[in-house]
Amino acid sequence: MEINMLKEYAALEEMSVKELLGTWPRYFDNPPKNRTNKKYLVSELIYRIQELAYGGLTKLTIDRLEALAESKSLNKPTYENTRLAIGTKLVREVKGVEHHVTVLEDGYEYQGVKYKSLSGAAFAITGTRWNGNAFFGLGGSASARPYQKSRRHN
């Protein structure tokens, strides 16, 4: 039996939420998670109809997705994905003078001194506290600005 998915989809789109809820038990054993969102109901129903007509995900694909989900750590710092390659040279001109910082395995080197962070190197260059990524134009910030410390005057 050939199913025309476009006709099925069009028919679902024409239904009211009440009609979609009436159709739901033909395809699912459990009630929908959302009983008021028409887009959600249509999406779930059309996916299920397609799944029944053409087959769902293979066991291998399901196992692979579950393994990927289990190995994904929510506690990993995001900076690991954006870490610069060792040996990268960062250059910033300040008051007409070019300053060169080299990325090391465990920090940054500026004028023979090792810094744990780019912010430390930026401070050495300017004497002002900076976000290191912003100072060197990394991270998509269009306007690099130093940190501003609020001062309390009594």
Side-chain angles (χ1 to χ4, degrees), residues 5-65:
M5 294 307 293
L6 289 176
K7 283 185 181 179
E8 291 289 330
Y9 180 73
L12 291 172
E13 278 289 320
E14 292 295 317
M15 291 182 184
S16 68
V17 169
K18 187 175 182 178
E19 291 170 318
L20 291 168
L21 290 171
T23 304
W24 191 269
R26 289 191 352 217
Y27 297 103
F28 297 99
D29 294 330
N30 298 322
K33 292 179 183 174
N34 184 316
R35 300 180 56 83
T36 59
N37 186 328
K38 182 177 177 177
K39 266 187 155 176
Y40 166 78
L41 295 169
V42 169
S43 175
E44 291 293 310
L45 285 165
I46 198 65
Y47 182 85
R48 182 67 176 144
I49 293 167
Q50 180 178 317
E51 187 177 44
L52 292 171
Y54 302 111
L57 297 174
T58 65
K59 172 94 170 93
L60 178 65
T61 301
I62 292 168
D63 291 346
R64 201 161 183 208
L65 288 170

Side-chain angles (χ1 to χ4, degrees), residues 20-132:
L20 291 168
L21 290 171
T23 304
W24 191 269
R26 289 191 352 217
Y27 297 103
F28 297 99
D29 294 330
N30 298 322
K33 292 179 183 174
N34 184 316
R35 300 180 56 83
T36 59
N37 186 328
K38 182 177 177 177
K39 266 187 155 176
Y40 166 78
L41 295 169
V42 169
S43 175
E44 291 293 310
L45 285 165
I46 198 65
Y47 182 85
R48 182 67 176 144
I49 293 167
Q50 180 178 317
E51 187 177 44
L52 292 171
Y54 302 111
L57 297 174
T58 65
K59 172 94 170 93
L60 178 65
T61 301
I62 292 168
D63 291 346
R64 201 161 183 208
L65 288 170
E66 287 174 353
L68 284 170
E70 287 176 17
S71 70
K72 183 85 172 162
S73 172
L74 299 176
N75 296 328
K76 282 188 179 178
T78 56
Y79 67 85
E80 287 183 1
N81 295 336
T82 59
R83 178 84 168 118
L84 297 168
I86 297 168
T88 299
K89 304 274 186 203
L90 300 171
V91 180
R92 172 74 193 261
E93 184 177 315
V94 177
K95 296 181 182 178
V97 178
E98 270 192 7
H99 299 272
H100 299 260
V101 173
T102 304
V103 177
L104 305 173
E105 185 175 357
D106 57 348
Y108 303 89
E109 183 269 327
Y110 170 66
Q111 292 186 339
V113 178
K114 185 175 164 186
Y115 296 90
K116 291 181 182 179
S117 68
L118 273 179
S119 298
F123 181 78
I125 293 168
T126 64
T128 305
R129 296 204 180 277
W130 281 82
N131 172 308

